[in-house]
Amino acid sequence: MAHVQVSNNVTVGILALQGAFAEHQTALQKLSFQEKIAVVLVRTAEDLSVCDALIIPGGESTTIALLAKLAGLLEPLRTFLQKKPVWGTCAGAILLAQAVENTKKGGQELLGGISVTVVRNGWGSQVESFEAPLSTDGLRDPTTPFMGVFIRAPVVLALHPSTENPPIEIIARLPISLVPKSQKLMVHDEGDCGPHDSQSIVALRQGRHMLTTFHPELTKDIRFHEYFVRTCVLPTLV
Amino acid sequence: MSTPANGPVPAVAAATAPAAIPRSAQRDPGNSKLGTFGVKSGLAQMLKGGVIMDVINPEQARIAEEAGACAVMALERVPADIRREGGVSRMSDPAMIKSIVDAVTIPVMAKVRIGHFVEAQILQAIGIDYIDESEVLTPADEEHHINKHNYKVPFVCGARNLGEALRRISEGAAFIRTKGEAGTGNVVEAVRHQRSIMSEIRKASVMNEEELYAYAKEIQAPFHLLKETARLKRLPVVNFAAGGIATPGMCIR
């Protein structure tokens, strides 16, 4: 594991307002790098200020956004996003998106940071929640499929590449045959890239930021956590 | 009181019990799997640190969503009213539940009577996010709970002690809440049940295997679940406090 020769410790924060932050903490603690990874549960702007990177966990995006607002964290989080790596899973991915459909009535607070449009609960209610093996690009041991756990998951509707922003890299896709057919998404099927093309994207990276619409923290597989630290976090510390 | 019966199942129950959903029907083409225990207990993990509010109409559901609730429980009447009025209380009107589902984007839960598997089938067909097999409603079966493994929709059940919690998990509950005394506004019962579960877990966590066998018998819990609980030093699924919680000051974090 000699990718990066830095000896200082890395501090990864996990936004711990609501949701599955403990699971991310367990996964990060299992990682072994040359550098020690210190984990901080972020609840205030002071907690955030010591972090080199941040994970926004799964939960309810409306609840997390409201609690962040009440804690005075929205602006510190937006400033953090300009400079440092952030990874959002599920609800976290919604908060990181540039635009969101199917928000609660009257819209909801977003942080932005990744130029994509997502739709909340894109595949339907909990009855439609599923697990499926994913084909990945860039993870260790790429021949072993990653088991994606999709719980009322958001769906990527469109990518908005532009010259001002870093390019979007796709890390994981649902095999086309496994993309659920959702009534809700039928209207969006007439894109240039063919039906279901963006909908099969379930993990992507833009510069230092990453989003996954599923929950790597609910599995014992820590390859996504390893990927985030290795490719998004460590290079920013040099 | 509610131990799974070991003897032969009465013929009438066997005839009316829902057939297990065939494995093939649960699978999409290829090998993605719907309704696994992982996605059922996973949704409960996403609710952690949040508050689930009882609501009786779409307007209340919207207020709860705006106030940051992580889910709502759709009820015809709040438990306080059910208690006061007495009589038989059943699953809420599906039309009312659907109007709440349409009004909010957060998960919507609804209650079914203990053992009433048809009410549960109806809620699953509506596409509800979580079912509460609840003691607040009038029980439909004095002895048996719903076989919750047969459903794609996850279940939450109430428990007063560790044995009861583990029996519900063995029947397929993916989420446990303390029972408390619903509708009283008195948090003492919820505290008692939570204290009791935690103390029993701590006791089990220092037992050796022989002692765990005896303890499993004593609290009428399946051995493998008790052993897992002792190893984890917590319930194997998410646990919320419920019953008599009325003010923000009562929320236990």
Side-chain angles (χ1 to χ4, degrees):
Chain A
M1 301 199 186
H3 316 285
V4 189
Q5 298 296 332
V6 276
S7 52
N8 51 330
N9 289 355
V10 185
T11 306
V12 179
I14 305 169
L15 194 62
L17 298 170
Q18 188 265 326
F21 49 85
E23 288 78 357
H24 274 295
Q25 192 176 13
T26 312
L28 284 177
Q29 281 160 351
K30 279 194 229 157
L31 282 180
S32 64
F33 278 94
Q34 248 179 356
E35 303 74 33
K36 277 224 172 70
I37 297 175
V39 180
V40 173
L41 294 181
V42 175
R43 295 196 171 95
T44 61
E46 291 80 69
D47 297 336
L48 188 63
S49 64
V50 301
C51 298
D52 299 311
L54 183 73
I55 297 177
I56 306 179
E60 274 308 308
S61 57
T62 51
T63 305
I64 295 176
L66 182 79
L67 292 175
K69 191 175 173 187
L70 296 176
L73 264 171
L74 283 180
E75 280 321 306
L77 282 171
R78 286 186 181 124
T79 320
F80 190 90
L81 268 156
Q82 313 268 317
K83 293 175 290 195
K84 293 180 175 171
V86 180
W87 170 22
T89 56
C90 197
I94 294 165
L95 292 171
L96 288 184
Q98 178 189 308
V100 174
E101 291 190 13
N102 194 24
T103 56
K104 72 179 169 71
K105 290 201 178 86
Q108 62 190 71
E109 291 279 0
L110 299 176
L111 300 172
I114 298 185
S115 345
V116 294
T117 301
V118 302
V119 56
R120 290 180 66 203
N121 309 336
W123 281 310
S125 76
Q126 172 64 13
V127 181
E128 307 300 328
S129 291
F130 63 100
E131 292 181 25
L134 305 175
S135 44
T136 58
D137 183 20
L139 295 196
R140 285 189 177 211
D141 195 7
T143 51
T144 313
F146 193 97
M147 190 50 85
V149 181
F150 295 84
I151 299 173
R152 289 168 48 89
V155 175
V156 177
L157 282 184
L159 309 179
H160 309 293
S162 77
T163 44
E164 299 147 39
N165 297 319
I168 296 172
E169 280 174 56
I170 290 157
I171 312 168
R173 275 184 189 272
L174 261 176
I176 287 290
S177 62
L178 298 185
V179 176
K181 305 281 177 290
S182 163
Q183 292 295 326
K184 223 182 225 168
L185 298 176
M186 288 306 179
V187 282
H188 297 288
D189 267 2
E190 297 134 38
D192 294 341
C193 346
H196 301 309
D197 186 70
S198 73
Q199 291 170 25
S200 71
I201 299 169
V202 293
L204 58 84
R205 180 156 88 93
Q206 184 176 33
R208 297 179 288 265
H209 304 322
M210 180 166 118
L211 69 78
T212 54
T213 61
F214 55 98
H215 295 282
E217 76 279 12
L218 294 185
T219 64
K220 292 201 166 71
D221 198 335
I222 55 170
R223 284 180 292 162
F224 265 95
H225 291 83
E226 194 266 350
Y227 179 90
F228 176 64
V229 176
R230 173 163 54 86
T231 65
C232 298
V233 184
L234 293 183
T236 63
L237 298 178
V238 183
Chain B
M1 176 186 123
S2 43
T3 2
N6 289 324
V9 186
V12 56
T16 51
I21 299 165
R23 269 327 259 175
S24 58
Q26 291 185 14
R27 280 161 189 265
D28 277 353
N31 47 359
S32 77
K33 296 187 228 53
L34 287 169
T36 60
F37 197 75
V39 300
K40 291 176 173 179
S41 60
L43 179 56
Q45 284 169 279
M46 296 309 135
L47 300 176
K48 284 190 295 183
V51 174
I52 301 163
M53 291 295 297
D54 287 345
V55 299
I56 59 167
N57 56 39
E59 292 73 44
Q60 289 191 354
R62 284 284 303 128
I63 293 170
E65 184 180 43
E66 285 302 324
C70 67
V72 289
M73 175 75 71
L75 293 166
E76 217 136 71
R77 293 171 292 172
V78 294
D81 299 335
I82 296 176
R83 282 290 158 109
R84 199 169 46 232
E85 288 164 28
V88 175
S89 52
R90 312 177 176 84
M91 176 188 81
S92 304
D93 176 3
M96 184 276 287
I97 296 173
K98 279 168 93 168
S99 69
I100 289 177
V101 170
D102 292 339
V104 295
T105 59
I106 55 180
V108 178
M109 304 179 162
K111 289 181 191 287
V112 299
R113 286 178 269 176
I114 288 175
H116 206 310
F117 47 80
V118 176
E119 286 184 347
Q121 288 167 342
I122 292 169
L123 289 185
Q124 173 163 285
I126 296 176
I128 210 86
D129 296 301
Y130 239 99
I131 293 179
D132 185 357
E133 188 180 17
S134 178
E135 71 284 353
V136 174
L137 306 183
T138 314
D141 190 320
E142 289 179 330
E143 243 181 282
H144 309 96
H145 279 65
I146 298 171
N147 181 352
K148 295 168 272 286
H149 291 291
N150 287 348
Y151 294 79
K152 281 190 293 184
V153 60
F155 281 75
V156 53
C157 286
R160 283 164 300 200
N161 53 49
L162 182 58
E164 197 176 4
L166 296 181
R167 286 195 295 277
R168 295 296 87 77
I169 296 169
S170 80
E171 293 156 6
F175 179 5
I176 292 293
R177 55 173 176 77
T178 55
K179 278 191 171 170
E181 272 305 320
T184 56
N186 187 349
V187 78
V188 69
E189 300 295 330
V191 171
R192 176 179 303 136
H193 299 156
Q194 190 59 41
R195 289 275 184 208
S196 140
I197 290 175
M198 290 315 295
S199 128
E200 286 168 306
I201 291 176
R202 269 190 292 274
K203 224 193 281 178
S205 71
V206 293
M207 286 182 181
N208 66 17
E209 203 141 303
E210 288 84 349
E211 290 170 316
L212 279 177
Y213 278 117
Y215 194 51
K217 222 179 290 174
E218 184 192 323
I219 65 171
Q220 302 179 3
F223 172 74
H224 70 284
L225 287 176
L226 180 63
K227 192 178 169 190
E228 179 66 359
T229 304
R231 186 182 71 81
L232 294 168
K233 296 190 171 59
R234 59 169 174 80
L235 286 178
V237 299
V238 172
N239 177 21
F240 268 52
I245 296 170
T247 73
M250 290 175 180
C251 292
I252 302 160
R253 247 191 115 152

